[in-house]
Amino acid sequence: VQLQASGGGLVQTGDSLRLSCSASARPADRPAMGWFRQAPGNEREFVAGAWSGGTLHYADSVKGRFTISRDNEKNTIYLQMDNLEPEDTAVYYCAATFGATWSVSGMLYWGKGTQVTVSS
């Protein structure tokens, strides 16, 4: 499975960005797909995830501001990020798994990161 992410950029506090990530997997495979991020000096952390059946999960730090969605036919997920804060500045990674956890170690496939920078 190969993952291709896009949509990062430089924005100001309160602005919005939308990330997208497409998986090369066959539509019938439908891995769980999600977003992680890593800020300088910090460990990579879970942001949001979408199971193929539709269940969504969010980190507490982004609840109410970020929305993840997925198109199963295209094996594509989207992350709508609203009301961005400087603390959201990080490299965002798309990841996929056929497992049952959103831990970093549980992800089987990783895309190249996309930089999101929020200026104050």
Side-chain angles (χ1 to χ4, degrees):
V1 176
Q2 293 184 330
L3 303 173
Q4 182 68 45
S6 63
L10 171 63
V11 297
Q12 295 184 333
T13 298
D15 285 350
S16 299
L17 273 177
R18 188 189 193 217
L19 307 181
S20 63
C21 175
S22 296
S24 62
R26 298 174 301 175
D29 289 339
R30 297 187 178 179
M33 297 176 67
W35 293 96
F36 291 71
R37 67 186 181 186
Q38 187 166 18
N42 290 355
E43 294 184 352
R44 193 169 298 188
E45 63 178 7
F46 170 75
V47 175
W51 297 104
S52 60
T55 301
L56 308 176
H57 293 269
Y58 296 94
D60 289 342
S61 59
V62 306
K63 283 181 181 176
R65 299 188 300 119
F66 291 10
T67 303
I68 188 170
S69 59
R70 86 178 271 161
D71 182 333
N72 278 337
E73 292 304 314
K74 297 180 179 179
N75 264 338
T76 297
I77 58 171
Y78 307 93
L79 185 67
Q80 178 66 38
M81 304 184 292
D82 297 320
N83 195 21
L84 283 161
E85 304 169 351
E87 293 73 21
D88 297 315
T89 295
V91 177
Y92 284 70
Y93 296 91
C94 178
T97 183
F98 292 102
T101 175
W102 291 114
S103 66
V104 171
S105 60
M107 296 296 108
L108 297 177
Y109 309 99
W110 291 91
K112 292 182 180 179
T114 183
Q115 178 71 46
V116 172
T117 303
V118 184
S119 64
S120 57

PDB file of all heavy atoms in Angstrom, residues 31-34 46 48-58 68-70 72 77 102:
ATOM      1  N   PRO A  31      -8.139  -0.367   4.082  1.00  0.00           N
ATOM      2  CA  PRO A  31      -7.451  -0.282   5.369  1.00  0.00           C
ATOM      3  C   PRO A  31      -7.999   0.865   6.197  1.00  0.00           C
ATOM      4  O   PRO A  31      -8.587   1.812   5.651  1.00  0.00           O
ATOM      5  CB  PRO A  31      -6.000  -0.012   4.950  1.00  0.00           C
ATOM      6  CG  PRO A  31      -6.118   0.704   3.646  1.00  0.00           C
ATOM      7  CD  PRO A  31      -7.292   0.048   2.949  1.00  0.00           C
ATOM      8  N   ALA A  32      -7.810   0.781   7.503  1.00  0.00           N
ATOM      9  CA  ALA A  32      -8.070   1.939   8.351  1.00  0.00           C
ATOM     10  C   ALA A  32      -7.014   2.981   7.999  1.00  0.00           C
ATOM     11  O   ALA A  32      -5.843   2.652   7.797  1.00  0.00           O
ATOM     12  CB  ALA A  32      -7.970   1.557   9.815  1.00  0.00           C
ATOM     13  N   MET A  33      -7.419   4.229   7.916  1.00  0.00           N
ATOM     14  CA  MET A  33      -6.502   5.297   7.511  1.00  0.00           C
ATOM     15  C   MET A  33      -6.617   6.458   8.468  1.00  0.00           C
ATOM     16  O   MET A  33      -7.717   6.789   8.943  1.00  0.00           O
ATOM     17  CB  MET A  33      -6.814   5.749   6.078  1.00  0.00           C
ATOM     18  CG  MET A  33      -6.611   4.672   5.038  1.00  0.00           C
ATOM     19  SD  MET A  33      -7.098   5.200   3.378  1.00  0.00           S
ATOM     20  CE  MET A  33      -5.860   6.446   3.048  1.00  0.00           C
ATOM     21  N   GLY A  34      -5.491   7.087   8.738  1.00  0.00           N
ATOM     22  CA  GLY A  34      -5.522   8.181   9.686  1.00  0.00           C
ATOM     23  C   GLY A  34      -4.381   9.156   9.501  1.00  0.00           C
ATOM     24  O   GLY A  34      -3.547   8.996   8.603  1.00  0.00           O
ATOM     25  N   PHE A  46      -0.875  10.669  17.324  1.00  0.00           N
ATOM     26  CA  PHE A  46      -2.123  10.446  16.596  1.00  0.00           C
ATOM     27  C   PHE A  46      -2.938  11.734  16.548  1.00  0.00           C
ATOM     28  O   PHE A  46      -3.034  12.459  17.541  1.00  0.00           O
ATOM     29  CB  PHE A  46      -2.911   9.339  17.281  1.00  0.00           C
ATOM     30  CG  PHE A  46      -4.312   9.167  16.782  1.00  0.00           C
ATOM     31  CD1 PHE A  46      -4.552   8.570  15.552  1.00  0.00           C
ATOM     32  CD2 PHE A  46      -5.383   9.595  17.532  1.00  0.00           C
ATOM     33  CE1 PHE A  46      -5.841   8.395  15.086  1.00  0.00           C
ATOM     34  CE2 PHE A  46      -6.679   9.427  17.076  1.00  0.00           C
ATOM     35  CZ  PHE A  46      -6.913   8.828  15.852  1.00  0.00           C
ATOM     36  N   ALA A  48      -6.097  11.957  13.999  1.00  0.00           N
ATOM     37  CA  ALA A  48      -7.456  11.526  13.675  1.00  0.00           C
ATOM     38  C   ALA A  48      -7.390  10.282  12.803  1.00  0.00           C
ATOM     39  O   ALA A  48      -6.439  10.097  12.047  1.00  0.00           O
ATOM     40  CB  ALA A  48      -8.225  12.632  12.950  1.00  0.00           C
ATOM     41  N   GLY A  49      -8.424   9.434  12.919  1.00  0.00           N
ATOM     42  CA  GLY A  49      -8.441   8.207  12.147  1.00  0.00           C
ATOM     43  C   GLY A  49      -9.847   7.830  11.726  1.00  0.00           C
ATOM     44  O   GLY A  49     -10.822   8.213  12.387  1.00  0.00           O
ATOM     45  N   ALA A  50      -9.926   7.096  10.637  1.00  0.00           N
ATOM     46  CA  ALA A  50     -11.220   6.664  10.102  1.00  0.00           C
ATOM     47  C   ALA A  50     -11.160   5.195   9.756  1.00  0.00           C
ATOM     48  O   ALA A  50     -10.367   4.775   8.906  1.00  0.00           O
ATOM     49  CB  ALA A  50     -11.577   7.479   8.859  1.00  0.00           C
ATOM     50  N   TRP A  51     -11.978   4.402  10.417  1.00  0.00           N
ATOM     51  CA  TRP A  51     -12.097   2.993  10.081  1.00  0.00           C
ATOM     52  C   TRP A  51     -12.912   2.870   8.803  1.00  0.00           C
ATOM     53  O   TRP A  51     -13.727   3.737   8.486  1.00  0.00           O
ATOM     54  CB  TRP A  51     -12.783   2.237  11.209  1.00  0.00           C
ATOM     55  CG  TRP A  51     -12.019   2.258  12.492  1.00  0.00           C
ATOM     56  CD1 TRP A  51     -12.284   3.009  13.597  1.00  0.00           C
ATOM     57  CD2 TRP A  51     -10.838   1.500  12.804  1.00  0.00           C
ATOM     58  NE1 TRP A  51     -11.348   2.771  14.564  1.00  0.00           N
ATOM     59  CE2 TRP A  51     -10.463   1.853  14.115  1.00  0.00           C
ATOM     60  CE3 TRP A  51     -10.080   0.572  12.105  1.00  0.00           C
ATOM     61  CZ2 TRP A  51      -9.337   1.299  14.743  1.00  0.00           C
ATOM     62  CZ3 TRP A  51      -8.974   0.019  12.729  1.00  0.00           C
ATOM     63  CH2 TRP A  51      -8.614   0.389  14.023  1.00  0.00           C
ATOM     64  N   SER A  52     -12.727   1.801   8.086  1.00  0.00           N
ATOM     65  CA  SER A  52     -13.433   1.621   6.819  1.00  0.00           C
ATOM     66  C   SER A  52     -14.939   1.559   7.025  1.00  0.00           C
ATOM     67  O   SER A  52     -15.713   1.931   6.139  1.00  0.00           O
ATOM     68  CB  SER A  52     -12.952   0.360   6.111  1.00  0.00           C
ATOM     69  OG  SER A  52     -13.190  -0.783   6.912  1.00  0.00           O
ATOM     70  N   GLY A  53     -15.370   1.123   8.204  1.00  0.00           N
ATOM     71  CA  GLY A  53     -16.804   1.046   8.471  1.00  0.00           C
ATOM     72  C   GLY A  53     -17.429   2.387   8.814  1.00  0.00           C
ATOM     73  O   GLY A  53     -18.656   2.484   8.944  1.00  0.00           O
ATOM     74  N   GLY A  54     -16.598   3.419   8.986  1.00  0.00           N
ATOM     75  CA  GLY A  54     -17.131   4.757   9.211  1.00  0.00           C
ATOM     76  C   GLY A  54     -16.856   5.346  10.578  1.00  0.00           C
ATOM     77  O   GLY A  54     -17.054   6.546  10.778  1.00  0.00           O
ATOM     78  N   THR A  55     -16.420   4.539  11.533  1.00  0.00           N
ATOM     79  CA  THR A  55     -16.136   5.076  12.864  1.00  0.00           C
ATOM     80  C   THR A  55     -14.932   6.007  12.799  1.00  0.00           C
ATOM     81  O   THR A  55     -13.928   5.690  12.159  1.00  0.00           O
ATOM     82  CB  THR A  55     -15.862   3.938  13.852  1.00  0.00           C
ATOM     83  OG1 THR A  55     -16.998   3.079  13.907  1.00  0.00           O
ATOM     84  CG2 THR A  55     -15.598   4.504  15.245  1.00  0.00           C
ATOM     85  N   LEU A  56     -15.063   7.141  13.467  1.00  0.00           N
ATOM     86  CA  LEU A  56     -14.012   8.156  13.465  1.00  0.00           C
ATOM     87  C   LEU A  56     -13.438   8.337  14.870  1.00  0.00           C
ATOM     88  O   LEU A  56     -14.160   8.192  15.864  1.00  0.00           O
ATOM     89  CB  LEU A  56     -14.573   9.490  12.963  1.00  0.00           C
ATOM     90  CG  LEU A  56     -15.326   9.457  11.635  1.00  0.00           C
ATOM     91  CD1 LEU A  56     -15.896  10.844  11.327  1.00  0.00           C
ATOM     92  CD2 LEU A  56     -14.433   8.990  10.505  1.00  0.00           C
ATOM     93  N   HIS A  57     -12.163   8.668  14.930  1.00  0.00           N
ATOM     94  CA  HIS A  57     -11.508   8.917  16.213  1.00  0.00           C
ATOM     95  C   HIS A  57     -10.671  10.184  16.100  1.00  0.00           C
ATOM     96  O   HIS A  57     -10.099  10.464  15.046  1.00  0.00           O
ATOM     97  CB  HIS A  57     -10.609   7.736  16.592  1.00  0.00           C
ATOM     98  CG  HIS A  57     -11.352   6.487  16.896  1.00  0.00           C
ATOM     99  ND1 HIS A  57     -11.774   6.147  18.168  1.00  0.00           N
ATOM    100  CD2 HIS A  57     -11.788   5.479  16.092  1.00  0.00           C
ATOM    101  CE1 HIS A  57     -12.411   4.987  18.133  1.00  0.00           C
ATOM    102  NE2 HIS A  57     -12.429   4.565  16.886  1.00  0.00           N
ATOM    103  N   TYR A  58     -10.603  10.918  17.197  1.00  0.00           N
ATOM    104  CA  TYR A  58      -9.841  12.162  17.233  1.00  0.00           C
ATOM    105  C   TYR A  58      -9.002  12.246  18.507  1.00  0.00           C
ATOM    106  O   TYR A  58      -9.415  11.783  19.560  1.00  0.00           O
ATOM    107  CB  TYR A  58     -10.770  13.377  17.205  1.00  0.00           C
ATOM    108  CG  TYR A  58     -11.573  13.527  15.942  1.00  0.00           C
ATOM    109  CD1 TYR A  58     -12.867  13.014  15.855  1.00  0.00           C
ATOM    110  CD2 TYR A  58     -11.030  14.184  14.838  1.00  0.00           C
ATOM    111  CE1 TYR A  58     -13.604  13.153  14.688  1.00  0.00           C
ATOM    112  CE2 TYR A  58     -11.766  14.329  13.674  1.00  0.00           C
ATOM    113  CZ  TYR A  58     -13.049  13.815  13.607  1.00  0.00           C
ATOM    114  OH  TYR A  58     -13.780  13.949  12.455  1.00  0.00           O
ATOM    115  N   ILE A  68     -12.194  14.552  10.119  1.00  0.00           N
ATOM    116  CA  ILE A  68     -11.680  13.570   9.173  1.00  0.00           C
ATOM    117  C   ILE A  68     -12.853  12.937   8.440  1.00  0.00           C
ATOM    118  O   ILE A  68     -13.926  12.746   9.003  1.00  0.00           O
ATOM    119  CB  ILE A  68     -10.828  12.487   9.876  1.00  0.00           C
ATOM    120  CG1 ILE A  68     -10.137  11.594   8.838  1.00  0.00           C
ATOM    121  CG2 ILE A  68     -11.667  11.661  10.852  1.00  0.00           C
ATOM    122  CD1 ILE A  68      -9.101  10.651   9.438  1.00  0.00           C
ATOM    123  N   SER A  69     -12.645  12.672   7.165  1.00  0.00           N
ATOM    124  CA  SER A  69     -13.668  11.994   6.366  1.00  0.00           C
ATOM    125  C   SER A  69     -12.962  11.067   5.392  1.00  0.00           C
ATOM    126  O   SER A  69     -11.756  11.204   5.165  1.00  0.00           O
ATOM    127  CB  SER A  69     -14.535  13.001   5.612  1.00  0.00           C
ATOM    128  OG  SER A  69     -13.744  13.806   4.759  1.00  0.00           O
ATOM    129  N   ARG A  70     -13.714  10.104   4.878  1.00  0.00           N
ATOM    130  CA  ARG A  70     -13.097   9.182   3.932  1.00  0.00           C
ATOM    131  C   ARG A  70     -14.056   8.818   2.825  1.00  0.00           C
ATOM    132  O   ARG A  70     -15.278   8.790   3.029  1.00  0.00           O
ATOM    133  CB  ARG A  70     -12.543   7.953   4.648  1.00  0.00           C
ATOM    134  CG  ARG A  70     -13.461   6.798   4.902  1.00  0.00           C
ATOM    135  CD  ARG A  70     -12.695   5.655   5.592  1.00  0.00           C
ATOM    136  NE  ARG A  70     -12.084   4.753   4.646  1.00  0.00           N
ATOM    137  CZ  ARG A  70     -11.099   3.921   4.946  1.00  0.00           C
ATOM    138  NH1 ARG A  70     -10.576   3.895   6.168  1.00  0.00           N
ATOM    139  NH2 ARG A  70     -10.602   3.093   4.032  1.00  0.00           N
ATOM    140  N   ASN A  72     -14.490   5.684   0.617  1.00  0.00           N
ATOM    141  CA  ASN A  72     -14.060   4.294   0.525  1.00  0.00           C
ATOM    142  C   ASN A  72     -13.807   3.849  -0.911  1.00  0.00           C
ATOM    143  O   ASN A  72     -12.915   3.043  -1.174  1.00  0.00           O
ATOM    144  CB  ASN A  72     -15.085   3.367   1.175  1.00  0.00           C
ATOM    145  CG  ASN A  72     -14.919   3.299   2.679  1.00  0.00           C
ATOM    146  OD1 ASN A  72     -13.838   3.571   3.213  1.00  0.00           O
ATOM    147  ND2 ASN A  72     -15.991   2.955   3.377  1.00  0.00           N
ATOM    148  N   ILE A  77      -8.688   9.672   2.300  1.00  0.00           N
ATOM    149  CA  ILE A  77      -9.166  10.368   3.474  1.00  0.00           C
ATOM    150  C   ILE A  77      -8.820  11.848   3.368  1.00  0.00           C
ATOM    151  O   ILE A  77      -7.892  12.240   2.652  1.00  0.00           O
ATOM    152  CB  ILE A  77      -8.580   9.794   4.785  1.00  0.00           C
ATOM    153  CG1 ILE A  77      -7.043   9.860   4.779  1.00  0.00           C
ATOM    154  CG2 ILE A  77      -9.083   8.386   5.027  1.00  0.00           C
ATOM    155  CD1 ILE A  77      -6.426   9.508   6.132  1.00  0.00           C
ATOM    156  N   TRP A 102      -4.706   2.685  16.862  1.00  0.00           N
ATOM    157  CA  TRP A 102      -4.196   3.907  16.258  1.00  0.00           C
ATOM    158  C   TRP A 102      -2.819   4.284  16.819  1.00  0.00           C
ATOM    159  O   TRP A 102      -2.398   5.413  16.694  1.00  0.00           O
ATOM    160  CB  TRP A 102      -5.170   5.067  16.476  1.00  0.00           C
ATOM    161  CG  TRP A 102      -6.441   4.916  15.703  1.00  0.00           C
ATOM    162  CD1 TRP A 102      -7.690   4.738  16.196  1.00  0.00           C
ATOM    163  CD2 TRP A 102      -6.583   4.911  14.268  1.00  0.00           C
ATOM    164  NE1 TRP A 102      -8.591   4.631  15.170  1.00  0.00           N
ATOM    165  CE2 TRP A 102      -7.946   4.739  13.983  1.00  0.00           C
ATOM    166  CE3 TRP A 102      -5.676   5.040  13.201  1.00  0.00           C
ATOM    167  CZ2 TRP A 102      -8.445   4.682  12.676  1.00  0.00           C
ATOM    168  CZ3 TRP A 102      -6.169   4.985  11.909  1.00  0.00           C
ATOM    169  CH2 TRP A 102      -7.529   4.811  11.654  1.00  0.00           C
TER     170      TRP A 102
END
